[in-house]
Amino acid sequence: MALTERQKLILTAIIYEYTQREHAVGSKSLQEHLDIKISSATIRNEMAALESDDLIKKLHTSAGRVPSYEGYRYYLDHLMMTRRATDRDVQAIIQSFRGNFHEIDDLLDETARTLSNLTGYTALILKPRRIDIKVSGFRLVPLEGHQLIAVLVTNDGKVTSQTFKLPNEMAIESLESMVAYINDQMVGRPVNDVLRMMQSDELPTQMSRMIKTPAAFLQLFGDVLARSNGDNVHIGGRLNVLDFSKETDIADVKPLLEFLNNAEDVRQIASPTRDVQVKIGCEIGEPLLSEFSLITRGFLVPNQGSGIIALLGPIPMSYSTNTLLTDAFGEALSRKMIEYT
């Protein structure tokens, strides 16, 4: 549809006013905030034209107007003032990260928290989906009370650990040969291959030659392997979604929180493109998120592919600010990831 310049100014002003106050916008308020001098009657006529084009709508409880989904979409596609993140923007974000991060997961957790704190919304980050993660090392650390920690390191820099209680009849010294076997035979092999070896009894058969009852150890090793291969969502401001959801009963909100924790579900609604993308309401393709807007951008992990950074918030939001932040954080992650290659 073709809008006049005046209609574009009025639509932009309505979206700005509604985003700031979340109250229906009337002609009198617009007259005070528009940069051009125009009568209330003319504004009302232009608002009627915008309403007939389904770009704004009238609420039953007010004489004012609010943007429709179509109005937001038109604004995003044609009216929003945008710019890409500059080097200064990106460096400021990198410097805001607190501390040194020995693991990629720690960096992603901090990034999600920082973006969420800046916006007040929910930040979601996914690493590239890898199928070639390999075992780099395995060890057992004794604790008190016949307990130990199993530690598995993979070639993507991830350290996975799990606490385990040994059966009373088993001494940790009896497991040393099994740990040595794993480090000698399994290091450098893809985690998926090792998991298949366990399921096919090949690995259990090898280990049974070293210890009479390897079942408990195999269970432990299998659990740590599976967790190291998991696809996790790094979330900042998880509960912020409750501020923008119409649901107030915790039973109704639970499916939404479960959805955000599921990496496969998040991948279905977000694509790892270098350009920032904005989806609103039904465009997201998930009924649980029909009240939200989703801003996404990919970030590059050398030799691994693209990860995804996403910002989930209400439909009335400052899109120009939040698209810039998402772009800057995505580029900052791309640069930081070089340190882990």
Side-chain angles (χ1 to χ4, degrees), residues 62-81:
S62 171
R65 304 294 193 278
V66 300
S68 65
Y69 287 145
E70 292 81 2
Y72 281 113
R73 188 75 261 166
Y74 188 94
Y75 169 78
L76 290 167
D77 292 341
H78 303 289
L79 304 178
M80 184 175 70
M81 299 291 291

Side-chain angles (χ1 to χ4, degrees), residues 61-123:
T61 57
S62 171
R65 304 294 193 278
V66 300
S68 65
Y69 287 145
E70 292 81 2
Y72 281 113
R73 188 75 261 166
Y74 188 94
Y75 169 78
L76 290 167
D77 292 341
H78 303 289
L79 304 178
M80 184 175 70
M81 299 291 291
T82 61
R83 71 174 177 87
R84 295 300 298 262
T86 64
D87 186 66
R88 175 180 289 184
D89 296 327
V90 175
Q91 288 302 323
I93 289 169
I94 291 175
Q95 292 172 10
S96 73
F97 293 147
R98 299 173 182 173
N100 296 317
F101 306 100
H102 300 293
E103 294 185 40
I104 290 177
D105 288 355
D106 294 336
L107 169 62
L108 299 185
D109 285 338
E110 176 65 14
T111 303
R113 281 193 297 268
T114 303
L115 180 56
S116 175
N117 289 338
L118 281 173
T119 61
Y121 303 146
T122 298

Side-chain angles (χ1 to χ4, degrees), residues 100-154:
N100 296 317
F101 306 100
H102 300 293
E103 294 185 40
I104 290 177
D105 288 355
D106 294 336
L107 169 62
L108 299 185
D109 285 338
E110 176 65 14
T111 303
R113 281 193 297 268
T114 303
L115 180 56
S116 175
N117 289 338
L118 281 173
T119 61
Y121 303 146
T122 298
L124 310 167
I125 302 179
L126 286 167
K127 287 188 296 188
R129 179 184 286 157
R130 294 192 60 182
I131 59 174
D132 62 340
I133 297 174
K134 297 177 182 178
V135 176
S136 292
F138 180 73
R139 63 178 298 195
L140 299 177
V141 180
L143 301 174
E144 295 181 358
H146 222 57
Q147 290 189 323
L148 53 84
I149 297 178
V151 181
L152 180 75
V153 182
T154 48

